[in-house]
Amino acid sequence: MDARINDYRFESILGKGTFGIVYLVRRKKDLKLFVIKEQYLNIINYSSSKRVLEEVRCLQKLRHPNIVLYHGAWKENDHSYILMEYATHCTLKDLLEKRKIPLQEEDALYLFSQVTLGVHHIHSNKILHRDLKPENIMLTGSRGDIVKIGDFGLSESVLEGKITCRAGSYYYMAPEMLSAQSYDLKCDIWSMGVILYEMITKKLPFPATNLIEITTLIYNCPPQPLPKRTSAPMVNLISKMLRKQSSSRPHVDQLVLCPFLVPYIVRVYLNFGRSVNLAERERENFGPHIFLKFLKPTRFQS
């Protein structure tokens, strides 16, 4: 990519973490807003460069309306820079923290169905996100109801062989990851279950204050009961994503065909169809042929 950091004016810091600093920037030539993730490349420790390369490889493969759009990356003065789309509203975490009460089921499912579609695209490219949480789910659009999954700093290709190391935030880690066993795409499904639980309760299914405590809770206790007002299909959906045995959790292919989610997914698809270029950008993997399958939906395995 033919770009330099001097082409952008830094507006503010959006976040800081182990893997770098995320800035809101404005391109000088047209004043358009973007996000830049900057990371120092330690020439002694190769792991930082390797992590950046893996993130860029994953982002290059992903083009979907529910995934933050990657615009390019470059290296300059021992720093890496990844240029991405700016989601104009807030994060799902911000939304939940601002609210005094949890999301209504219908609103939660509309947002969650977009998370499901985004994860479906990620998994279809044999990529494991490994850090799905409300903080990494951005909201954009005029009403703040369009989901953009971001932060692929911990993403990993599942084609590389067994993965065993812990990664991400432990509140959203699957049991197999917490215990450092080998894991696969199903650990993202667990994270999705925690996210949906949090959306409709503003609480975590396994409340804990440290890694040892949450590991003990997850292995020895069921999730905290959902409120009595929660519909039976919602309880069923969350329960299946939070099954302790990864093999018993649904695949994301099953989630997009879940009869409970189908009406919301169709609604998302119809809304995206009214947006300029979205259908064109994802013609192959987000086209009408997917939704024809909803005529004969496949149910979860018990």
Side-chain angles (χ1 to χ4, degrees):
M1 178 181 177
D2 186 19
R4 295 185 65 82
I5 201 61
N6 286 337
D7 296 336
Y8 300 88
R9 185 171 72 240
F10 285 70
E11 300 283 333
S12 62
I13 294 177
L14 297 177
K16 291 183 179 180
T18 308
F19 295 101
I21 304 175
V22 179
Y23 298 95
L24 174 64
V25 301
R26 193 178 296 274
R27 190 162 57 190
K28 292 177 181 178
K29 71 176 183 179
D30 57 10
L31 302 182
K32 186 175 180 181
L33 290 169
F34 293 90
V35 166
I36 280 182
K37 183 175 182 180
E38 177 191 42
Q39 184 172 331
Y40 172 65
L41 300 176
N42 190 330
I43 58 175
I44 298 174
N45 184 0
Y46 174 66
S47 63
S48 61
S49 297
K50 184 180 178 183
R51 188 70 261 153
V52 171
L53 286 172
E54 184 62 29
E55 181 174 3
V56 170
R57 285 195 195 104
C58 291
L59 285 168
Q60 286 175 332
K61 295 177 182 177
L62 302 174
R63 283 291 184 275
H64 190 278
N66 295 123
I67 295 173
V68 167
L69 185 61
Y70 165 80
H71 288 287
W74 69 94
K75 178 183 174 184
E76 189 176 337
N77 299 326
D78 296 325
H79 286 75
S80 67
Y81 298 94
I82 301 175
L83 184 69
M84 294 168 286
E85 168 188 13
Y86 171 53
T88 55
H89 254 264
C90 61
T91 66
L92 179 58
K93 179 183 178 181
D94 296 331
L95 175 66
L96 295 176
E97 288 180 346
K98 288 174 187 174
R99 293 177 57 87
K100 293 181 180 179
I101 60 173
L103 291 171
Q104 295 293 319
E105 276 196 17
E106 183 176 354
D107 296 330
L109 288 167
Y110 183 71
L111 296 178
F112 183 76
S113 64
Q114 295 177 67
V115 174
T116 302
L117 289 169
V119 173
H120 182 270
H121 182 71
I122 295 166
H123 286 188
S124 69
N125 281 278
K126 307 301 181 187
I127 293 170
L128 180 61
H129 188 284
R130 293 205 300 179
D131 200 18
L132 291 171
K133 57 184 179 180
E135 188 177 349
N136 290 337
I137 297 171
M138 272 59 84
L139 301 174
T140 188
S142 59
R143 294 179 296 180
D145 61 353
I146 297 176
V147 164
K148 300 280 184 176
I149 298 173
D151 198 347
F152 288 80
L154 295 175
S155 56
E156 194 79 40
S157 170
V158 295
L159 299 175
E160 301 296 325
K162 288 185 177 181
I163 307 172
T164 56
C165 63
R166 287 180 183 148
S169 303
Y170 57 77
Y171 286 119
Y172 302 90
M173 280 186 195
E176 60 270 23
M177 184 186 284
L178 283 167
S179 61
Q181 301 173 29
S182 63
Y183 54 86
D184 56 18
L185 299 173
K186 292 288 189 72
C187 73
D188 278 348
I189 303 299
W190 174 279
S191 303
M192 291 169 67
V194 177
I195 291 167
L196 184 55
Y197 184 106
E198 192 173 355
M199 289 168 78
I200 64 166
T201 64
K202 278 178 60 71
K203 297 177 182 178
L204 291 164
F206 301 95
T209 57
N210 57 59
L211 182 59
I212 295 174
E213 188 177 343
I214 196 166
T215 302
T216 302
L217 282 175
I218 284 177
Y219 267 91
N220 299 313
C221 305
Q224 291 290 300
L226 286 160
K228 291 182 179 179
R229 68 177 184 276
T230 310
S231 69
M234 177 69 85
V235 174
N236 187 37
L237 176 60
I238 292 174
S239 298
K240 288 181 175 178
M241 289 189 287
L242 292 182
R243 284 173 171 166
K244 299 184 189 298
Q245 291 294 325
S246 64
S247 59
S248 299
R249 289 175 220 141
H251 293 278
V252 73
D253 287 346
Q254 293 172 292
L255 290 179
V256 297
L257 298 177
C258 168
F260 186 47
L261 282 181
V262 164
Y264 299 94
I265 290 177
V266 171
R267 188 172 131 204
V268 168
Y269 176 69
L270 293 174
N271 287 340
F272 280 172
R274 299 187 187 105
S275 301
V276 178
N277 290 332
L278 284 174
E280 289 296 321
R281 195 166 68 193
E282 192 58 23
R283 185 189 299 265
E284 181 179 351
N285 294 316
F286 200 74
H289 63 285
I290 288 180
F291 296 89
L292 293 176
K293 296 179 182 178
F294 295 159
L295 297 174
K296 295 182 179 179
T298 302
R299 296 185 178 276
F300 292 149
Q301 294 177 346
S302 299

